[in-house]
Amino acid sequence: MKFFNLLKKELKEMLTIQTIATLIIIVAVLSLAGSALTDVIEDAVEEGSKITICDEDNTEFTQSLIKTLETVGGTENEVTKVTLESKDYAKELKRLDITNVVVFPKGFTEQVQKGEQANIEYVGSMTSLSTMSNVGFDSETATEIIKNAIEAQLYSEKIAAGKMTEAEVMQMDSPILVDETTVVADKSAKISSEILFSLCKMQGTFVPIIVFLLIMYSSQMLLNAVSTEKIDKTLETLLSAPVSRMSVLSAKMLSAAIVAAVMAVAFMFGMNNMTNSFTMGADASQFNEVLEELGLSLSAAQYLLVGLQMFASVLIGLSLSLVLGALAKDIKSAQALVMPILFTAMIPYILSIIIDIKTLSPVFKYIVYAIPFTHTFMASENVMFGNMSLYWGGFVYQIVILAISMTFAIKVFTSDKIFTMTLSFGEKGKKRKYKKA
Amino acid sequence: MENVLEVKGLSKQYKKGVYASKNVTFDIKKGEIFALIGPNGAGKTTTIRMISTLLKATEGDAVVMGHSILTEPGKVRENITYLPDEAGAYKTMTGKKYLQFMASIYANDSAAAAEYVKTASEICGLGDRLDDKIGSYSRGMTRKLLLARAIMSKPALAILDEPTSGLDIINALDIRRMIKELASQGMSFLLSSHNMLEIEYVSDRVGIIAKGHLLETGTPSELLEKHGAANLEEVFERVVKNSEIL
Ligand SMILES: Nc1ncnc2c1ncn2[C@@H]1O[C@H](COP(=O)(O)OP(=O)(O)OP(=O)(O)O)[C@@H](O)[C@H]1O
Ligand SMILES: [Mg+2]
């Protein structure tokens, strides 16, 4: 009985409004991410049945092959024929507004007829490092579908003719050889998008983690500093001393920013070492060149751009923490106050890893874009894939938000709001009150 | 004699229509110890925080050494120190570091800062414990450290909210003696307290405050005489009871 009462008390203390709010928000975020994901997967499936072909061989065989493609694999495929005007694939994909194309090169039919493995080219583009963005009509699907189509063709021809030679049976096993080119922004290289993706996965996964940790750590640090000063009343002592409030405020902000910057540099350094040892190892040096060629390994200037947005996010987090820390009434509420920052950072963090935020439905996309941290989570991707207008747009937006939140923080600190404004979670944790003087 | 502090009709509303402090007027002369006494929630801390330039007054003004809290808060802060009620200190600092840090903020040069630290180290009576982290101090030790901090720079006006709360009798006595000693050297004090006996002993003048109104001011003996009371506690009880009519 005594134990039961103890347990009841502990549960009551732990299951506060904050804990419950956290749960509700996590469920909401995950459900939202789920529905966004469903959209993306549906799009991917739809894309997957769209085949774009450039028939440079243009023979009876290829023409009937294309006809077969429309129904092969048990699905209705939407086959579009295009003409590539040059070998500059990046430019051609952009001109035709397509994301991939299968090319039957001149001599393709001849190779098939000779019973050789026939070459085809697959050109795909990579636009994001997120997991889901690389699901869809890729070279593997293309190969599979075309293989099936060729088999169907050959079967009908050869079997009609009576018999198959041994070489022809071999040919049936793997009738084509895919030459894969991947386009990144305005550059292209002969490499499969899958290899490319796994090479870049490090960056795609680790940059968001670093950004998230950096925002959370620095915000938590400043929030704790401000709220303990307020709770211990050392803030009252300081602000009644012969120093200006602005210098107290800027000293706090600056020291947190310096610590965050040191952390950012340390993280970047560690990550760079890690990816280096990863790409240096084995026979990966050839890939390194390709990565550089495609602009997928960040140059110093690009690191700087990513760092700039990282810093902007950290500063936004810090200015929010200043205000939130001032709201704290006791240690417990101070811990709860980091929630708004936690969630606004968590939403783009999770989304950026799973999906390409650019491809979300407009409403959802702009909601996510409205979170200033989002742009930092997308920064390295935007820089890599050359979406510079998105980068700069995000940066300007971050500066605007930073200016607003800083102005607000300064207002709170230089007026007596810092002492009169409290956000308390009610005596019994039942209701929220906003007390403003 | 010159007034170190002149409070003129000071009022504060936290919420519209509710006065936490209403039209409070009093003054403190050089070398005088003035105490605000009143029940919980009377408005003592509110009044003190306005004079310390932490809260903006809704109405009225206070002038410290000729500087208005409204127009020259910076100048006011150069002439006061403030010890908040139930204050703590930076727990990860040692007592010595804390004194050095605060001295660096109040002093204009390092010589003065060193002098402040020396004074405070003597006053607080913490001895070797000054080299320990503040987090390891008892409540009374922290209070003594903070008190020493508040008087080390010998400001024109030291504002102490419940200065001896949390201290045992011996330490409280020490502090009272020290306040009297410093006052005799020309420092002025604004105190607040619940402890009537202490106030009777230490203050030159007291102001009785209830529900935000400063009801009476006078020397302890004046008040005892006026109300025909044996001690300040009785005076306090009668004044506050009468004020219920307000
Ligand atoms: N930040 C605030 N917001 C709203 N009301 C406040 C705030 N601080 C104080 N009050 C109210 O103002 C009134 C006066 O409070 P104050 O702290 O000045 O009393 P006090 O005389 O110092 O009491 P105590 O002896 O308990 O310290 C009280 O009714 C209190 O509830
Ligand atoms: Mg008080």
Side-chain angles (χ1 to χ4, degrees):
Chain A
M1 198 56 214
K2 279 180 189 166
F3 175 76
F4 180 73
N5 282 331
L6 282 171
L7 181 69
K8 209 167 87 179
K9 170 198 158 259
E10 296 300 336
L11 273 179
K12 239 184 189 157
E13 246 158 52
M14 287 173 194
L15 272 180
T16 53
I17 188 90
Q18 296 99 281
T19 334
I20 295 166
T22 313
L23 283 177
I24 292 174
I25 295 174
I26 287 177
V27 170
V29 170
L30 290 180
S31 322
L32 273 177
S35 73
L37 216 60
T38 318
D39 280 355
V40 173
I41 293 172
E42 271 168 13
D43 284 353
V45 170
E46 203 174 302
E47 279 299 311
S49 60
K50 275 186 196 154
I51 306 174
T52 314
I53 302 274
C54 171
D55 186 3
E56 288 177 348
D57 205 24
N58 203 13
T59 61
E60 233 170 84
F61 177 72
T62 55
Q63 276 163 16
S64 68
L65 185 62
I66 290 167
K67 273 232 165 54
T68 321
L69 276 177
E70 281 171 0
T71 52
V72 83
T75 49
E76 286 281 305
N77 296 315
E78 196 185 319
V79 180
T80 321
K81 277 171 74 173
V82 294
T83 323
L84 297 181
E85 290 169 357
S86 76
K87 283 272 170 197
D88 185 348
Y89 291 130
K91 212 171 117 196
E92 288 301 302
L93 287 193
K94 197 165 180 193
R95 180 179 65 83
L96 295 163
D97 192 23
I98 50 177
T99 55
N100 55 64
V101 61
V102 176
V103 182
F104 296 138
K106 273 221 170 314
F108 172 77
T109 312
E110 216 178 292
Q111 283 180 311
V112 175
Q113 239 94 67
K114 275 192 196 154
E116 289 172 4
Q117 266 196 336
N119 286 316
I120 64 164
E121 279 175 52
Y122 174 85
V123 181
S125 58
M126 192 159 125
T127 53
S128 161
L129 295 179
S130 60
T131 331
M132 287 310 295
S133 65
N134 290 284
V135 171
F137 183 72
D138 54 12
S139 60
E140 216 172 296
T141 329
T143 320
E144 198 56 36
I145 292 179
I146 291 164
K147 191 181 147 195
N148 287 343
I150 290 182
E151 276 171 6
Q153 277 284 316
L154 291 180
Y155 266 122
S156 56
E157 275 181 25
K158 305 278 166 163
I159 289 172
K163 61 174 180 190
M164 287 169 87
T165 63
E166 205 170 312
E168 279 162 354
V169 175
M170 291 273 286
Q171 182 190 14
M172 215 50 106
D173 209 32
S174 60
I176 54 168
L177 202 68
V178 184
D179 240 352
E180 195 169 347
T181 303
T182 300
V183 171
V184 174
D186 53 359
K187 302 180 191 89
S188 62
K190 282 218 179 307
I191 186 171
S192 108
S193 62
E194 260 161 74
I195 294 176
L196 209 52
F197 181 60
S198 53
L199 284 176
C200 297
K201 206 173 167 60
M202 280 282 193
Q203 240 147 351
T205 319
F206 280 94
V207 170
I209 291 178
I210 290 171
V211 172
F212 182 71
L213 286 180
L214 215 54
I215 293 173
M216 285 322 299
Y217 191 85
S218 55
S219 299
Q220 183 85 65
M221 200 164 55
L222 187 63
L223 204 146
N224 280 347
V226 174
S227 56
T228 20
E229 282 234 30
K230 192 179 174 208
I231 295 162
D232 285 347
K233 298 198 182 168
T234 49
L235 191 62
E236 286 184 40
T237 310
L238 266 190
L239 296 186
S240 65
V243 278
S244 76
R245 289 189 176 197
M246 272 310 281
S247 46
V248 174
L249 176 79
S250 27
K252 274 208 168 357
M253 187 84 182
L254 192 63
S255 70
I258 289 171
V259 175
V262 169
M263 275 173 50
V265 171
F267 273 148
M268 282 299 205
F269 187 71
M271 196 191 75
N272 201 37
N273 282 353
M274 188 178 71
T275 36
N276 270 356
S277 60
F278 164 75
T279 38
M280 288 301 196
D283 45 5
S285 54
Q286 83 207 56
F287 292 131
N288 255 354
E289 270 166 41
V290 176
L291 283 183
E292 253 161 55
E293 201 181 310
L294 289 174
L296 287 180
S297 60
L298 294 179
S299 66
Q302 286 173 320
Y303 263 118
L304 205 69
L305 287 179
V306 176
L308 210 60
Q309 276 207 353
M310 243 185 219
F311 203 60
S313 269
V314 167
L315 288 182
I316 291 171
L318 289 180
S319 51
L320 291 177
S321 311
L322 277 179
V323 178
L324 292 170
L327 286 169
K329 208 184 57 174
D330 47 45
I331 303 288
K332 210 167 177 179
S333 62
Q335 285 166 344
L337 284 166
V338 79
M339 293 293 166
I341 300 179
L342 178 67
F343 288 122
T344 43
M346 198 148 84
I347 293 170
Y349 167 50
I350 294 177
L351 288 181
S352 71
I353 289 182
I354 308 175
I355 52 182
D356 183 1
I357 293 173
K358 297 189 290 292
T359 61
L360 289 173
S361 67
V363 178
F364 203 72
K365 181 168 75 179
Y366 285 109
I367 291 175
V368 180
Y369 277 174
I371 301 172
F373 302 132
T374 302
H375 306 282
T376 303
F377 285 106
M378 297 173 70
S380 64
E381 211 177 85
N382 281 341
V383 169
M384 272 184 192
F385 295 99
N387 305 316
M388 292 318 285
S389 53
L390 208 55
Y391 172 90
W392 288 113
F395 188 61
V396 168
Y397 178 68
Q398 286 181 322
I399 297 296
V400 171
I401 295 291
L402 180 62
I404 293 172
S405 54
M406 270 313 290
T407 313
F408 189 62
I410 290 171
K411 232 186 189 137
V412 166
F413 255 77
T414 52
S415 70
D416 59 9
K417 280 205 177 62
I418 179 99
F419 296 116
T420 56
M421 191 173 76
T422 53
L423 179 71
S424 57
F425 289 94
E427 270 359 302
K428 287 182 185 123
K430 285 261 162 67
K431 57 179 186 237
R432 264 181 155 195
K433 313 183 266 193
Y434 228 123
K435 267 200 257 164
K436 270 193 180 177
Chain B
M1 209 181 191
E2 172 197 359
N3 279 337
V4 169
L5 173 69
E6 282 171 19
V7 181
K8 304 172 203 164
L10 215 47
S11 302
K12 179 69 185 178
Q13 289 182 330
Y14 288 107
K15 270 173 277 181
K16 273 239 144 32
V18 189
Y19 282 94
S21 147
K22 170 91 183 165
N23 200 17
V24 172
T25 303
F26 65 93
D27 47 46
I28 299 178
K29 294 178 183 58
K30 186 167 161 47
E32 192 176 35
I33 303 169
F34 185 93
L36 281 174
I37 56 175
N40 294 120
K44 304 182 292 294
T45 301
T46 302
T47 307
I48 282 175
R49 280 171 144 192
M50 282 189 285
I51 299 168
S52 312
T53 74
L54 295 174
L55 290 182
K56 287 209 169 66
T58 312
E59 292 145 31
D61 192 5
V63 177
V64 179
M65 298 295 281
H67 305 292
S68 155
I69 56 166
L70 303 180
T71 54
E72 297 174 290
K75 283 263 187 279
V76 169
R77 287 197 284 267
E78 285 172 16
N79 286 287
I80 62 163
T81 58
Y82 169 52
L83 172 66
D85 181 20
E86 290 182 341
Y90 304 103
K91 293 193 177 63
T92 53
M93 280 188 195
T94 64
K96 191 124 221 154
K97 272 265 146 55
Y98 174 72
L99 291 177
Q100 284 164 350
F101 168 64
M102 292 309 292
S104 74
I105 284 177
Y106 281 96
N108 291 320
D109 53 66
S110 53
E115 185 60 36
Y116 290 176
V117 174
K118 194 166 157 264
T119 311
S121 305
E122 280 162 20
I123 294 172
C124 71
L126 288 171
D128 291 345
R129 293 298 306 270
L130 272 179
D131 295 322
D132 292 346
K133 291 245 161 74
I134 293 173
S136 73
Y137 288 8
S138 73
R139 203 152 73 96
M141 287 165 73
T142 310
R143 196 70 187 157
K144 270 164 44 179
L145 181 74
L146 294 180
L147 263 165
R149 187 277 301 162
I151 47 192
M152 66 183 178
S153 59
K154 308 254 166 68
L157 176 68
I159 302 172
L160 313 175
D161 200 352
E162 316 255 356
T164 56
S165 77
L167 291 184
D168 59 39
I169 296 173
I170 306 286
N171 281 310
L173 263 171
D174 267 358
I175 296 298
R176 277 181 236 159
R177 274 198 206 104
M178 196 169 337
I179 290 175
K180 271 196 157 333
E181 157 84 25
L182 287 166
S184 72
Q185 294 170 19
M187 238 173 97
S188 305
F189 287 87
L190 169 58
L191 317 175
S192 88
S193 186
H194 295 120
N195 187 338
M196 302 302 151
L197 291 174
E198 171 180 287
I199 291 304
E200 201 171 333
Y201 167 78
V202 80
S203 335
D204 298 320
R205 275 194 309 138
V206 296
I208 298 176
I209 188 169
K211 293 183 180 166
H213 295 264
L214 187 63
L215 301 170
E216 291 205 18
T217 54
T219 64
S221 50
E222 274 170 16
L223 292 174
L224 293 181
E225 203 173 317
K226 182 178 169 191
H227 293 274
N231 54 39
L232 264 187
E233 266 170 12
E234 274 180 41
V235 174
F236 182 75
E237 193 187 4
R238 277 172 213 177
V239 172
V240 171
K241 256 201 191 121
N242 290 341
S243 78
E244 305 286 9
I245 311 159
L246 276 173

